[in-house]
Short mmCIF file of all heavy atoms in Angstrom, two decimals:
data_model
loop_
_atom_site.label_atom_id
_atom_site.label_comp_id
_atom_site.label_asym_id
_atom_site.label_seq_id
_atom_site.Cartn_x
_atom_site.Cartn_y
_atom_site.Cartn_z
N PRO A 1266 -10.38 4.81 -15.36
CA PRO A 1266 -11.14 4.87 -14.10
C PRO A 1266 -10.24 4.52 -12.92
O PRO A 1266 -9.31 3.74 -13.06
CB PRO A 1266 -12.24 3.83 -14.29
CG PRO A 1266 -11.73 2.90 -15.34
CD PRO A 1266 -10.84 3.71 -16.24
N CYS A 1267 -10.50 5.12 -11.77
CA CYS A 1267 -9.67 4.86 -10.59
C CYS A 1267 -10.07 3.51 -9.99
O CYS A 1267 -11.24 3.28 -9.71
CB CYS A 1267 -9.87 5.97 -9.57
SG CYS A 1267 -9.03 5.66 -8.02
N PRO A 1268 -9.10 2.60 -9.79
CA PRO A 1268 -9.45 1.28 -9.24
C PRO A 1268 -9.78 1.32 -7.75
O PRO A 1268 -10.33 0.36 -7.23
CB PRO A 1268 -8.20 0.44 -9.50
CG PRO A 1268 -7.09 1.42 -9.57
CD PRO A 1268 -7.66 2.70 -10.10
N ILE A 1269 -9.47 2.40 -7.07
CA ILE A 1269 -9.73 2.47 -5.63
C ILE A 1269 -11.11 3.06 -5.36
O ILE A 1269 -11.97 2.41 -4.80
CB ILE A 1269 -8.64 3.26 -4.90
CG1 ILE A 1269 -7.33 2.47 -4.93
CG2 ILE A 1269 -9.05 3.53 -3.46
CD1 ILE A 1269 -6.23 3.07 -4.11
N CYS A 1270 -11.31 4.31 -5.77
CA CYS A 1270 -12.59 4.94 -5.43
C CYS A 1270 -13.65 4.65 -6.48
O CYS A 1270 -14.85 4.77 -6.18
CB CYS A 1270 -12.42 6.45 -5.25
SG CYS A 1270 -11.92 7.32 -6.74
N ARG A 1271 -13.26 4.31 -7.69
CA ARG A 1271 -14.17 3.95 -8.78
C ARG A 1271 -15.04 5.12 -9.22
O ARG A 1271 -15.95 4.94 -10.01
CB ARG A 1271 -15.05 2.75 -8.41
CG ARG A 1271 -14.21 1.50 -8.23
CD ARG A 1271 -15.01 0.33 -7.78
NE ARG A 1271 -14.27 -0.90 -8.11
CZ ARG A 1271 -14.81 -1.93 -8.73
NH1 ARG A 1271 -16.06 -1.91 -9.09
NH2 ARG A 1271 -14.09 -3.00 -8.98
N ARG A 1272 -14.79 6.29 -8.69
CA ARG A 1272 -15.54 7.47 -9.10
C ARG A 1272 -14.63 8.42 -9.86
O ARG A 1272 -15.07 9.15 -10.73
CB ARG A 1272 -16.13 8.20 -7.88
CG ARG A 1272 -17.31 7.48 -7.27
CD ARG A 1272 -17.75 8.18 -6.00
NE ARG A 1272 -16.75 8.04 -4.95
CZ ARG A 1272 -16.37 8.99 -4.12
NH1 ARG A 1272 -16.88 10.18 -4.22
NH2 ARG A 1272 -15.47 8.75 -3.20
N GLY A 1273 -13.36 8.43 -9.45
CA GLY A 1273 -12.42 9.36 -10.03
C GLY A 1273 -11.79 8.85 -11.31
O GLY A 1273 -12.04 7.74 -11.74
N ARG A 1274 -10.97 9.70 -11.91
CA ARG A 1274 -10.25 9.32 -13.12
C ARG A 1274 -8.76 9.46 -12.81
O ARG A 1274 -8.34 10.43 -12.18
CB ARG A 1274 -10.63 10.25 -14.27
CG ARG A 1274 -12.11 10.37 -14.43
CD ARG A 1274 -12.48 11.04 -15.70
NE ARG A 1274 -12.16 12.47 -15.70
CZ ARG A 1274 -12.43 13.26 -16.74
NH1 ARG A 1274 -12.98 12.77 -17.80
NH2 ARG A 1274 -12.13 14.53 -16.68
N ILE A 1275 -7.99 8.50 -13.27
CA ILE A 1275 -6.55 8.61 -13.06
C ILE A 1275 -5.89 8.96 -14.39
O ILE A 1275 -6.28 8.47 -15.45
CB ILE A 1275 -5.94 7.32 -12.46
CG1 ILE A 1275 -6.12 6.13 -13.37
CG2 ILE A 1275 -6.54 7.02 -11.09
CD1 ILE A 1275 -5.27 4.93 -12.92
N GLY A 1285 -2.26 9.85 -11.06
CA GLY A 1285 -2.93 10.38 -9.88
C GLY A 1285 -4.43 10.39 -10.11
O GLY A 1285 -4.89 10.53 -11.24
N CYS A 1286 -5.19 10.20 -9.03
CA CYS A 1286 -6.65 10.21 -9.13
C CYS A 1286 -7.15 11.61 -8.77
O CYS A 1286 -6.65 12.23 -7.84
CB CYS A 1286 -7.26 9.17 -8.20
SG CYS A 1286 -9.07 9.26 -8.13
N ASP A 1287 -8.15 12.09 -9.51
CA ASP A 1287 -8.65 13.44 -9.25
C ASP A 1287 -9.70 13.47 -8.14
O ASP A 1287 -10.14 14.54 -7.74
CB ASP A 1287 -9.21 14.08 -10.54
CG ASP A 1287 -10.32 13.25 -11.16
OD1 ASP A 1287 -10.61 12.16 -10.64
OD2 ASP A 1287 -10.88 13.68 -12.18
N VAL A 1288 -10.10 12.32 -7.64
CA VAL A 1288 -11.09 12.30 -6.54
C VAL A 1288 -10.44 11.87 -5.22
O VAL A 1288 -10.46 12.60 -4.24
CB VAL A 1288 -12.29 11.38 -6.89
CG1 VAL A 1288 -13.20 11.22 -5.69
CG2 VAL A 1288 -13.07 11.96 -8.07
N CYS A 1289 -9.82 10.66 -5.21
CA CYS A 1289 -9.28 10.18 -3.93
C CYS A 1289 -7.82 10.60 -3.74
O CYS A 1289 -7.27 10.41 -2.67
CB CYS A 1289 -9.44 8.66 -3.83
SG CYS A 1289 -8.46 7.73 -5.02
N HIS A 1290 -7.18 11.15 -4.79
CA HIS A 1290 -5.82 11.69 -4.71
C HIS A 1290 -4.76 10.64 -4.38
O HIS A 1290 -3.68 11.00 -3.89
CB HIS A 1290 -5.73 12.85 -3.71
CG HIS A 1290 -6.69 13.95 -4.03
ND1 HIS A 1290 -6.63 14.67 -5.19
CD2 HIS A 1290 -7.76 14.43 -3.35
CE1 HIS A 1290 -7.61 15.55 -5.21
NE2 HIS A 1290 -8.32 15.42 -4.10
N HIS A 1291 -5.04 9.38 -4.62
CA HIS A 1291 -4.00 8.38 -4.47
C HIS A 1291 -3.02 8.49 -5.65
O HIS A 1291 -3.41 8.91 -6.73
CB HIS A 1291 -4.60 6.97 -4.45
CG HIS A 1291 -5.07 6.55 -3.09
ND1 HIS A 1291 -4.21 6.32 -2.05
CD2 HIS A 1291 -6.32 6.32 -2.60
CE1 HIS A 1291 -4.91 5.97 -0.98
NE2 HIS A 1291 -6.19 5.97 -1.29
N PHE A 1293 -0.41 6.42 -8.10
CA PHE A 1293 -0.16 5.06 -8.59
C PHE A 1293 1.11 5.05 -9.42
O PHE A 1293 1.38 5.99 -10.16
CB PHE A 1293 -1.31 4.60 -9.49
CG PHE A 1293 -2.67 4.66 -8.84
CD1 PHE A 1293 -3.42 5.83 -8.87
CD2 PHE A 1293 -3.20 3.56 -8.21
CE1 PHE A 1293 -4.67 5.89 -8.28
CE2 PHE A 1293 -4.46 3.60 -7.62
CZ PHE A 1293 -5.19 4.77 -7.65
N GLN A 1401 -11.32 4.04 1.92
CA GLN A 1401 -10.99 5.31 1.31
C GLN A 1401 -11.86 6.42 1.88
O GLN A 1401 -11.39 7.51 2.18
CB GLN A 1401 -11.16 5.20 -0.20
CG GLN A 1401 -10.87 6.47 -0.95
CD GLN A 1401 -9.53 7.04 -0.57
OE1 GLN A 1401 -8.55 6.32 -0.50
NE2 GLN A 1401 -9.47 8.33 -0.33
ZN1 ZN O 138 -9.71 7.53 -6.89
#
Side-chain angles (χ1 to χ4, degrees):
C1267 174
I1269 292 187
C1270 64
R1271 294 176 159 229
R1272 286 175 291 139
R1274 310 191 289 181
I1275 62 168
C1286 174
D1287 58 356
V1288 172
C1289 66
H1290 304 298
H1291 275 293
F1293 304 87
Q1401 179 51 45

